[in-house]
Amino acid sequence: MRIQILLLKYFWKPLSLICSLFCTNGLARRRVRQKFLYSRSFPYPKVLSVAETVNLLQQGASLARLGDGEFNLALGKRLICYQKNSPELQRRMREILKNPNGKCLVGIPPCPTSPGFFREYFTRYPRILSMMKLKSTYANANISRNNDFLVRGIDEYRKIWDNKTVVFIYSSVGRFDITPELFSNIKKYYHIDVMPNDAFEQYNSIMAKAQKFPKDYLFLIACGPAATVLAYDLCTMGYQAIDIGHLPNCYANEVSGAPMPEKLPICKK
């Protein structure tokens, strides 16, 4: 399996780059990359379904999720707009990605089997594949992105926090909302407010506040890549913590046609 990654990194990727240099326009360059790079197969870990992941969360599991933004941080890139990178954040992203079998579930996107964003992403950046435990099983990071399950399985989500005391960690001026259709069945909730940008800069302050709550409280976290680290670390301390991401926004998009979260401003006006 590692040979395929090395071929992607050191043969197919340079070949597609060299061949694209002879193209006269962007469409032709893309076709070259599609022929020589994006169509390549690559090894990928097993990923649970959304339903299987939600079922484990109902049983008390915690979840830290990684998508392309978190992968970019692990690769040393700067995540534009809402989280600047740092050596510590890069280290933590790599650490979490490499440990899917610990106390905390680690979620990644399912293996892309058809052309699209993530198929191109993993062939363009095969180094991220080498950071994964390819023989392990990961949770599904798309718990907030599977539009069909968001509607058909909304009661399954609600079972996770049913009659529980919840601590939300999110920015009060950001995109996240405590949507009644999702959260009306919680017993009681508290809120730890964070910055809409660069929330990882507040890591120590957030953790200090979080640790004041009892261990039987459920943490639901939505603050970008910082949520990945917070969920992972709170879990190791004995809390159930879930990196819930854009779940309310994606639910609103599916049921009422509201804009997808990426189309919303980072800060509310």
Side-chain angles (χ1 to χ4, degrees):
M1 289 194 294
R2 296 290 177 183
I3 293 176
Q4 287 178 285
I5 297 176
L6 292 173
L7 284 172
L8 273 174
K9 185 176 181 181
Y10 295 111
F11 180 73
W12 292 114
K13 187 175 180 180
L15 178 63
S16 69
L17 177 61
I18 292 170
C19 292
S20 67
L21 294 175
F22 297 94
C23 300
T24 58
N25 59 69
L27 179 59
R29 285 191 290 272
R30 182 171 179 78
R31 286 175 176 171
V32 166
R33 290 194 293 268
Q34 183 66 50
K35 179 177 178 61
F36 290 106
L37 184 60
Y38 300 157
S39 61
R40 297 295 138 193
S41 62
F42 49 84
Y44 203 77
K46 178 182 177 181
V47 177
L48 300 175
S49 68
V50 170
E52 290 171 326
T53 302
V54 170
N55 181 259
L56 291 174
L57 299 180
Q58 290 172 359
Q59 297 175 42
S62 294
L63 175 66
R65 301 180 308 116
L66 297 97
D68 59 297
E70 289 74 25
F71 293 152
N72 286 340
L73 292 171
L75 290 170
K77 298 177 179 291
R78 184 186 187 277
L79 190 58
I80 298 173
C81 294
Y82 56 91
Q83 181 61 66
K84 61 185 178 183
N85 207 347
S86 68
E88 175 63 11
L89 186 54
Q90 180 183 11
R91 183 188 71 80
R92 293 308 312 276
M93 290 300 162
R94 292 185 176 194
E95 173 195 350
I96 294 169
L97 184 58
K98 291 179 179 179
N99 288 281
N101 298 320
K103 293 181 179 180
C104 184
L105 297 176
V106 176
I108 60 174
C111 182
T113 56
S114 58
F117 175 82
F118 273 110
R119 183 162 191 84
E120 294 186 11
Y121 185 91
F122 289 124
T123 49
R124 287 179 64 194
Y125 303 110
R127 190 155 59 101
I128 201 69
L129 297 169
S130 65
M131 298 180 191
M132 299 177 181
K133 290 288 184 67
L134 296 175
K135 295 183 178 180
S136 296
T137 298
Y138 286 78
N140 198 312
N142 287 353
I143 61 163
S144 64
R145 295 287 181 173
N146 189 304
N147 290 345
D148 178 56
F149 195 79
L150 274 175
V151 177
R152 178 175 50 83
I154 192 63
D155 289 338
E156 297 302 311
Y157 286 97
R158 286 168 58 88
K159 289 178 184 177
I160 298 170
W161 45 78
D162 186 44
N163 202 35
K164 291 184 179 179
T165 300
V166 173
V167 181
F168 289 97
I169 301 178
Y170 70 97
S171 172
S172 59
V173 297
R175 298 164 174 166
F176 189 87
D177 288 310
I178 303 177
T179 308
E181 292 91 335
L182 285 168
F183 303 115
S184 62
N185 62 327
I186 62 176
K187 183 178 180 180
K188 185 178 182 180
Y189 77 84
Y190 298 88
H191 173 213
I192 297 176
D193 201 13
V194 301
M195 299 185 299
N197 298 307
D198 299 324
F200 189 71
E201 305 297 302
Q202 293 180 280
Y203 173 85
N204 291 335
S205 172
I206 296 169
M207 288 298 291
K209 294 175 182 176
Q211 290 176 74
K212 294 179 180 179
F213 291 99
K215 292 289 178 67
D216 60 343
Y217 285 14
L218 168 65
F219 282 84
L220 298 179
I221 313 171
C223 54
T228 306
V229 184
L230 290 166
Y232 189 85
D233 289 350
L234 285 169
C235 176
T236 63
M237 295 176 181
Y239 295 95
Q240 183 185 13
I242 300 172
D243 171 6
I244 198 171
H246 295 300
L247 180 63
N249 305 99
C250 293
Y251 176 75
N253 170 260
E254 184 61 22
V255 300
S256 62
M260 285 295 288
E262 292 81 6
K263 301 294 184 181
L264 295 170
I266 293 176
C267 294
K268 297 172 183 173
K269 294 181 180 180

